[in-house]
DNA sequence: CAGTATCCTCGCAGATACTG
DNA sequence: CAGTATCTGCGAGGATACTG
């Protein structure tokens, strides 16, 4: 069998994972959010070889997360800009970042590099809330495979495929 | 060269990506957060083969994200429970989930499965804030490679390695 | 049920040379 | 500088058989 693609899974997380659920994509997005635009800058910062970087950038462009823009009109040099879709990954990256700070370093040993643009104040943890704005703690929520959305598993996906075949 | 590990990178995001930055880990955690505990349940829901699942579960256990617990004392059957470290990945998963809902489905076509435990109300978007609690929007923040933390790149990591060698 | 133990394949990544 | 084009190979991931 070939490696399974999650792109057409009925689960939002699976689909997201299919697009950005790998190490290089996450690091590229980290740098893109930090303002990196150019191929060579990504290359030196990431230390990936050219072909890898090319491939990963193209994936992200195909996914509509990055856009290629000529540096100036009529020039073949391009820059990679985050689309709105790409920008809105900031919550996910930030959550991972904060988790990494908390759990993969000794206390206080982690670099601090995400801050408010105006005052430079450090970011606090992401806050959960309901659609109506009521704040929630972690223990207040649950992930429910509902009747309306049973299709979050491979199991149900397999059933779907079988139907069509 | 062998495939680069990000485990010892000085960047929190890189380290987080090293532990949970792959598709299977994300899906396992999704199910774990939904209450799945048993090997066979993971297996049928994910549709991964036994060896893959075993390996991935072991990685997560080694990383301290999951714990193996005997179902009952003196029995060899085990369950996989989320540790506190694992639980606190909920923000990252949720962010990815919400991003997937918004960007990988046609409008309104996505399953709704994360909700408040008490009222069943759907979750709203994660909120950014400073450590002092001041709310922020996406455009209010920036990722800054500071002098105190220049070491978030492969570049600087390579320099570090070179020093030691 | 909860995994080990094997075997196999091909995708991903690494290195490097070359082009506009 | 910004890639494309090739070559190479490790190892993740897949299938299946077998064990306590």
């Amino acid at each position: 069998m070939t490696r399974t693609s999650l792109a057409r899974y009925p689960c939002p997380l699976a689909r997201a994972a299919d697009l950005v659920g790998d190490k290089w994509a996450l690091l590229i997005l980290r740098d893109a959010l930090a303002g990196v635009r150019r191929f060579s800058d990504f290359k030196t910062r990431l230390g990936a070889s050219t072909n890898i970087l090319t491939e990963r950038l193209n994936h992200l462009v195909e996914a509509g997360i990055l856009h290629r823009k000529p540096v100036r009109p009529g020039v073949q040099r391009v820059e990679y800009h985050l689309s709105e879709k790409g920008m809105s990954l900031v919550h996910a990256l930030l959550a991972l970042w904060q988790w990494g700070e908390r759990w993969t370093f000794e206390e206080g040993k982690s670099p601090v590099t995400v801050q408010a643009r105006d005052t430079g104040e450090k970011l606090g943890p992401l806050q959960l809330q309901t659609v109506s704005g009521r704040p929630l703690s972690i223990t207040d929520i649950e992930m429910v495979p509902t009747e309306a959305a049973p299709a979050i598993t491979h199991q149900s996906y397999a059933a779907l495929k079988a139907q069509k075949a």
Side-chain angles (χ1 to χ4, degrees), chain A:
Chain A
M1 274 284 284
T2 123
R3 218 166 275 207
T4 53
S5 157
L6 309 180
R8 308 208 56 76
Y9 271 41
C11 168
L13 182 62
R15 292 195 180 189
D18 187 71
L19 296 179
V20 300
D22 80 284
K23 308 187 205 293
W24 287 123
L26 291 170
L27 294 184
I28 288 173
L29 289 166
R30 175 198 67 183
D31 282 355
L33 284 166
V36 174
R37 301 268 123 94
R38 324 249 308 227
F39 189 90
S40 61
D41 290 338
F42 282 115
K43 185 157 163 35
T44 50
R45 287 174 60 93
L46 299 178
S49 34
T50 57
N51 52 347
I52 298 288
L53 183 57
T54 302
E55 189 210 25
R56 304 269 95 201
L57 285 174
N58 286 341
H59 274 161
L60 292 171
V61 168
E62 282 168 32
I65 293 168
L66 295 177
H67 285 142
R68 291 168 58 97
K69 268 194 200 171
V71 175
R72 261 164 300 128
V75 169
Q76 71 279 38
R77 294 255 307 273
V78 296
E79 292 186 335
Y80 295 88
H81 288 256
L82 283 165
S83 65
E84 192 197 342
K85 184 174 179 180
M87 295 265 197
S88 59
L89 274 165
V90 68
H91 296 93
L93 292 188
L94 209 50
L96 275 177
W97 184 290
Q98 293 179 338
W99 184 85
E101 281 195 325
R102 166 73 179 80
W103 293 102
T104 68
F105 285 88
E106 298 167 45
E107 193 69 22
K109 285 289 189 65
S110 132
V112 178
T113 53
V114 186
Q115 60 183 40
R117 196 183 297 281
D118 50 2
T119 61
E121 197 181 1
K122 191 187 171 188
L123 286 203
L126 289 164
Q127 293 296 300
L128 297 171
Q129 60 170 4
T130 65
V131 284
S132 65
R134 179 164 59 98
L136 295 172
S137 75
I138 294 185
T139 52
D140 290 335
I141 70 169
E142 59 185 344
M143 298 174 76
V144 189
T146 65
E147 198 60 41
I152 67 168
T153 67
H154 171 88
Q155 198 177 15
S156 48
Y157 177 67
L160 246 138
K161 271 202 304 193
Q163 273 183 19
K164 289 183 185 169

